[in-house]
Amino acid sequence: MASSKKIGVLLMNLGTPEAPTPEAVRKYLKEFLSDRRVVDLSPILWKPILNGIILNLRPRKVAKVYQQVWMDEGSPLLVLGNRLRDGVQNALDQLEGQYVVASAMTYGTPNVESAANQFRREGVSHIFVLPMYPQFSGTTTAAAYDRLMNSLAKCPDWPTLNLYHDYADHPLYIQALAKSVTRQWEAQGEKRHLVLSYHGIPKRYVTNGDPYARRCEKTSALLATQLGLNEDEWTHVYQSRFGREEWLQPYADKTLASMPASGLKRINVISPAFSIDCIETLEEVTLELGDEFKHNGGEAFDYIPALNDTSEHIALYKDIILENTVAWRDER
């Protein structure tokens, strides 16, 4: 007799403030920037900077940015992420209701505990955890797993877990990115130089063993090959650096500022490290980098959206989930 137990799928992303207000942003930033995975400085040095300077100065500024991109239903990261979750659930519902898909944030809400409660209510005994970071980093994927394990620390019994690493070189991921690029080129009526901009991390993290840069470079190379681009038709950069420490290079802002002088005046930018559009893509890339490029002589700048809740993204996640839970399905 087949078991009635179901397979849970937990989609994890970074997090977002609950509202575009200084108070909500301060609460979110405190949790996010207190994580030693994100900022690995000694708490003795970091806490006075965080509590005395950053949390007093940045929340009001960041809240104004969130107000520019906030959607009617809430934060773009949450709204678009929920649409993707629902799309994946609908795609998996074809398999006789075996799967329950839930989402959780490493910081803020919805949290891991709320997803766990949903899984318990629906009789889930096995959980496949899929962090929504295409390229593994200790600052993102590992931080998500730390949060998950902390939530289980006091549990007397654990579900069976399968923790996914990343999908930086998954064929369906590369194909989905390529389709989004060609769709943009067709819509604008021309093929442009392609800038691949990834969220940066301190260079020291990579020197100490974080594979993030290597995985980003793998994605860029595979996407360029999929699109048939020559080396002079695409550029790989890193955005979002913070503080005085050296981060991964080349830096996006400096690179884009120099492009028009070298003859590259019409470009497209895509951010493959982001599965869902958020403040870093909708504001930092679209507005800040776009303004930097145009201020220095650029003529055309268009951002290519993240995969969000597209059918290609849903198909990618469905394939990853089915491939990594096949043994569990056979047990039922």
Side-chain angles (χ1 to χ4, degrees), residues 136-148:
F136 180 97
S137 172
T139 63
T140 53
T141 312
Y145 286 143
D146 286 347
R147 177 69 180 86
L148 174 64

Side-chain angles (χ1 to χ4, degrees), residues 16-317:
T16 179
E18 294 183 9
T21 63
E23 295 76 18
V25 170
R26 183 178 294 108
K27 178 181 178 181
Y28 169 72
L29 287 179
K30 184 172 184 178
E31 184 179 8
F32 172 48
L33 295 177
S34 296
D35 191 333
R36 294 293 301 277
R37 288 278 191 182
V38 178
V39 181
D40 66 349
L41 297 177
S42 167
I44 296 175
L45 298 175
W46 177 241
K47 284 188 175 182
I49 298 173
L50 175 62
N51 295 317
I53 301 176
I54 295 175
L55 294 180
N56 285 321
L57 298 179
R58 286 191 63 82
R60 188 169 299 277
K61 178 181 178 181
V62 174
K64 290 181 179 179
V65 175
Y66 270 108
Q67 290 164 13
Q68 290 181 285
V69 302
W70 208 257
M71 303 172 70
D72 290 341
E73 307 98 311
S75 164
L77 183 71
L78 182 60
V79 173
L80 296 171
N82 286 345
R83 292 177 187 174
L84 174 61
R85 177 203 63 203
D86 293 345
V88 173
Q89 180 68 74
N90 290 337
L92 293 172
D93 280 345
Q94 303 170 18
L95 302 172
E96 301 178 356
Q98 293 184 37
Y99 291 89
V100 178
V101 184
S103 56
M105 301 294 183
T106 304
Y107 317 102
T109 57
N111 57 31
V112 175
E113 288 78 11
S114 65
N117 288 334
Q118 179 184 351
F119 288 150
R120 291 190 192 99
R121 289 194 303 269
E122 302 205 34
V124 165
S125 60
H126 297 64
I127 302 174
F128 174 62
V129 188
L130 175 54
M132 299 168 70
Y133 308 111
Q135 297 82 21
F136 180 97
S137 172
T139 63
T140 53
T141 312
Y145 286 143
D146 286 347
R147 177 69 180 86
L148 174 64
M149 295 307 167
N150 286 339
S151 75
L152 292 168
K154 297 181 180 180
C155 291
D157 188 18
W158 285 25
T160 300
L161 297 173
N162 183 345
L163 310 182
Y164 196 63
H165 188 263
D166 78 8
Y167 50 96
D169 52 1
H170 194 290
L172 292 183
Y173 169 60
I174 301 302
Q175 291 170 25
L177 291 176
K179 187 168 184 178
S180 67
V181 173
T182 56
R183 186 186 294 124
Q184 176 69 32
W185 286 344
E186 290 170 359
Q188 67 196 18
E190 65 175 350
K191 175 182 175 181
R192 298 181 193 165
H193 187 89
L194 184 63
V195 177
L196 299 97
S197 183
Y198 296 81
H199 196 290
I201 62 174
K203 182 179 179 181
R204 172 172 51 87
Y205 291 12
V206 173
T207 301
N208 291 337
D210 193 302
Y212 179 68
R214 184 175 71 251
R215 299 301 284 162
C216 291
E217 291 164 3
K218 183 70 170 181
T219 296
S220 288
L222 289 173
L223 178 56
T225 298
Q226 184 76 26
L227 292 168
L229 300 180
N230 299 321
E231 290 186 3
D232 60 351
E233 293 179 306
W234 62 281
T235 300
H236 178 108
V237 298
Y238 296 95
Q239 65 187 72
S240 309
R241 73 182 188 276
F242 177 77
R244 299 180 180 179
E245 182 177 2
E246 182 181 3
W247 283 43
L248 293 176
Q249 297 191 42
Y251 296 139
D253 53 353
K254 293 183 177 181
T255 301
L256 267 66
S258 68
M259 278 183 165
S262 65
L264 294 174
K265 297 186 176 184
R266 305 179 67 84
I267 66 172
N268 286 120
V269 178
I270 189 171
S271 296
F274 297 93
S275 59
I276 301 292
D277 276 316
C278 55
I279 191 172
E280 284 86 356
T281 60
L282 298 175
E283 196 277 336
E284 184 179 0
V285 174
T286 305
L287 299 179
E288 290 185 18
L289 291 181
D291 288 347
E292 185 78 18
F293 178 72
K294 293 175 182 177
H295 178 74
N296 286 277
E299 298 174 355
F301 176 104
D302 285 286
Y303 169 68
I304 300 172
L307 296 178
N308 294 324
D309 61 336
T310 58
S311 59
E312 294 84 9
H313 206 186
I314 293 170
L316 165 65
Y317 276 18

